[in-house]
Amino acid sequence: MKKVDVLLGLQWGDEGKGKVVDVLTPHYDLIARFQGGPNAGHTLEFDGKKYVLRSIPSGIFQGGKINAIGNGVVLDPLLFMEEAEGLAKSGINLKERLYISKKAHLIMPTHRLLDAANEARKGDAKIGTTGKGIGPTYTDKVSRNGLRVGDILSDFEAKYAKAKARHIDILSSMGEVADFSELEKAWLDSISYLREFTLIDSEYYINDILKADKSVLAEGAQGSLLDIDFGSYPFVTSSNTVSAGCCIGLGISPRHIGNVYGIFKAYCTRVGAGPFPTELFDEIGETMCDKGREFGSVTGRKRRCGWLDLVALKYTTMLNGVTDLIMMKSDVLDDFEEIKVCVAYEINGEKTEHFPFDTTAEIKPLYKSFKGWQTDMTQCCDEADFSEPFNEYIRFIESYLGVPISIVSVGPDRKQTIVRKK
């Protein structure tokens, strides 16, 4: 019986998961997304074109493979329809290749209003959400008030009316006027579009795939440091982004987890509010942002940039049981004479290599410096092309984390991906 391999981000998201899923897809029979919502933008570039996926798994472009949206995902039918119709114009037959779990929860128009109202009430303490209604949808799920994809198949109008009325009462109690008639009409039209897809009991479907000795790649969204339990709380997302979330988000047993591919950038980025110990506020940070095109693929927001944080990375490597590391965007650091990595924190005068409970504390990063490789990594076609300074950087990271770096990305295109032989 085959196992499910998991691919996820090890930092604060935006690590480049979409590209790697696209590269690995030919080796799998099914690609399944297990958590998150349309706040996650996975960017893929090939054949001179750029695509941004928000809810649809990143394996949709390769070889006619089946892709599935798991029960752990929250789905906005309107944004899904916009995304799907855009892909259909590119010649992708989604209705044959994309299955959707009946147990995935629906993001309603009123969830967006609740998201905005909740964020506004936080004032200076706001989280920096994308405003897509993700948090309120997960809140309804946990409080047992949610609408699920399977609900669109029977008595949906009554179920929707009840959920909407509840949201309007909450908004009214917050002093908010709920005006969303145009958005609601478009959303209800998208429900009809959603009914045209194959809706499945994903837990049975995926386990049957495994019993048939077929292979599954589970795709995570956001990043491990945004996990609701283990991330930099409260500046986190509303789902479990670590590998354990795959079991809940797809309905598989922990003993069916195989390899865990952990993706990280050769430096760090973060979108929105929250702690970021290695953040740079100088010209170096600006250079990383400009050369790395560090702007959110969904929100367009500028990402904060800083040096690689190995304390945080070792923490998420441990949490996820990572078997293989994948390093992205090494080419962004090509021109630096000196490159730093954080190897420890100093908190209240004490040195530690543990990621702290209170991430809002004053954290001083302690760095190790490396000589920059100062070569054009985008021209590398094989591991043999790596310079010695770059190899030294890789060796140190592997030694610190105790896990091999199996894949190195040297550019945005799917072809600019080097699988290491070691």
Side-chain angles (χ1 to χ4, degrees):
M1 185 172 179
K2 293 273 183 142
K3 292 185 180 289
V4 176
D5 290 343
V6 185
L7 185 145
L8 40 72
L10 297 177
Q11 296 163 313
W12 280 288
D14 310 307
E15 298 95 348
K17 295 177 287 294
K19 173 189 171 177
V20 180
V21 172
D22 176 63
V23 168
L24 293 179
T25 292
H27 304 287
Y28 294 89
D29 298 297
L30 172 71
I31 314 301
R33 173 92 173 266
F34 66 85
Q35 50 74 224
N39 53 342
H42 292 180
T43 303
L44 300 88
E45 294 186 32
F46 53 89
D47 299 334
K49 296 181 180 179
K50 180 178 179 179
Y51 301 88
V52 178
L53 301 177
R54 293 177 292 190
S55 297
I56 296 169
S58 301
I60 201 67
F61 296 101
Q62 291 271 26
K65 302 297 178 73
I66 296 297
N67 287 248
I69 295 175
N71 60 276
V73 173
V74 291
L75 188 70
D76 185 323
L78 180 56
L79 293 179
F80 169 76
M81 183 174 72
E82 293 172 358
E83 184 179 344
E85 289 181 336
L87 290 176
K89 290 177 183 177
S90 300
I92 308 296
N93 193 336
L94 285 175
K95 291 175 184 177
E96 288 184 358
R97 291 161 52 184
L98 179 65
Y99 298 169
I100 303 170
S101 173
K102 294 177 187 175
K103 291 184 173 67
H105 277 248
L106 292 172
I107 302 173
M108 297 168 52
T110 40
H111 282 131
R112 294 197 202 183
L113 301 180
L114 287 166
D115 204 352
N118 288 331
E119 189 77 340
R121 295 187 80 181
K122 289 184 173 74
D124 293 339
K126 61 186 177 181
I127 304 298
T129 75
T130 60
K132 296 290 192 299
I134 311 297
T137 306
Y138 275 115
T139 298
D140 276 359
K141 175 180 179 176
V142 174
S143 66
R144 303 181 294 279
N145 289 295
L147 276 181
R148 299 185 292 176
V149 168
D151 288 325
I152 70 175
L153 301 177
S154 64
D155 199 25
F156 177 68
E157 290 75 12
K159 294 173 183 176
Y160 172 69
K162 180 179 179 182
K164 180 177 75 170
R166 177 176 170 274
H167 289 169
I168 290 174
D169 285 346
I170 295 172
L171 288 164
S172 297
S173 71
M174 299 171 71
E176 299 287 337
V177 178
D179 181 13
F180 57 98
S181 55
E182 289 187 19
L183 175 61
E184 182 181 44
K185 182 181 183 304
W187 188 85
L188 290 172
D189 288 342
S190 70
I191 290 291
S192 298
Y193 180 77
L194 188 60
R195 290 192 181 105
E196 298 174 15
F197 284 80
T198 301
L199 308 182
I200 61 171
D201 294 313
S202 53
E203 63 274 30
Y204 280 108
Y205 180 80
I206 293 173
N207 278 284
D208 286 344
I209 286 281
L210 296 176
K211 289 176 184 176
D213 208 30
K214 294 183 178 180
S215 54
V216 178
L217 179 64
E219 176 185 10
Q222 288 91 35
S224 297
L225 290 171
L226 294 175
D227 184 271
I228 185 66
D229 284 293
F230 299 105
S232 49
Y233 193 88
F235 301 96
V236 292
T237 193
S238 302
S239 59
N240 285 113
T241 59
V242 295
S243 58
C246 172
C247 298
I248 298 298
L250 295 179
I252 57 171
S253 164
R255 65 191 175 94
H256 291 151
I257 297 295
N259 292 327
V260 179
Y261 299 105
I263 305 179
F264 70 100
K265 287 176 180 171
Y267 52 102
C268 274
T269 64
R270 180 165 196 167
V271 173
F276 185 174
T278 63
E279 183 173 8
L280 295 170
F281 301 94
D282 55 13
E283 186 179 339
I284 294 175
E286 288 297 319
T287 300
M288 286 179 183
C289 183
D290 293 340
K291 189 169 181 183
R293 295 184 292 177
E294 296 295 354
F295 299 89
S297 52
V298 170
T299 64
R301 289 188 293 180
K302 182 178 178 180
R303 296 177 186 138
R304 301 151 63 191
C305 296
W307 295 119
L308 181 62
D309 186 340
L310 288 183
V311 175
L313 196 57
K314 191 167 187 175
Y315 173 66
T316 55
T317 298
M318 172 191 72
L319 288 174
N320 288 297
V322 173
T323 60
D324 295 85
L325 291 164
I326 300 173
M327 185 164 76
M328 310 297 289
K329 289 197 168 184
S330 52
D331 53 296
V332 173
L333 304 182
D334 283 354
D335 298 328
F336 292 116
E337 293 182 5
E338 180 187 40
I339 294 171
K340 296 180 180 181
V341 296
C342 172
V343 295
Y345 295 156
E346 185 179 298
I347 304 174
N348 298 324
E350 297 288 330
K351 180 181 176 181
T352 181
E353 293 183 11
H354 282 195
F355 195 73
F357 167 79
D358 182 9
T359 55
T360 62
E362 187 173 334
I363 300 172
K364 178 183 177 182
L366 304 178
Y367 291 108
K368 177 177 174 61
S369 294
F370 292 85
K371 179 183 177 183
W373 39 91
Q374 295 189 287
T375 57
D376 185 358
M377 293 296 294
T378 63
Q379 300 304 306
C380 293
C381 299
D382 186 88
E383 183 182 2
D385 298 329
F386 292 169
S387 67
E388 180 51 30
F390 185 69
N391 280 326
E392 183 183 355
Y393 190 70
I394 286 179
R395 285 194 297 266
F396 182 82
I397 294 170
E398 289 180 321
S399 175
Y400 190 101
L401 300 178
V403 180
I405 296 175
S406 300
I407 297 176
V408 176
S409 174
V410 294
D413 193 276
R414 66 159 63 132
K415 296 177 181 178
Q416 294 174 300
T417 309
I418 296 174
V419 178
R420 298 181 71 212
K421 297 180 179 64
K422 295 180 181 179

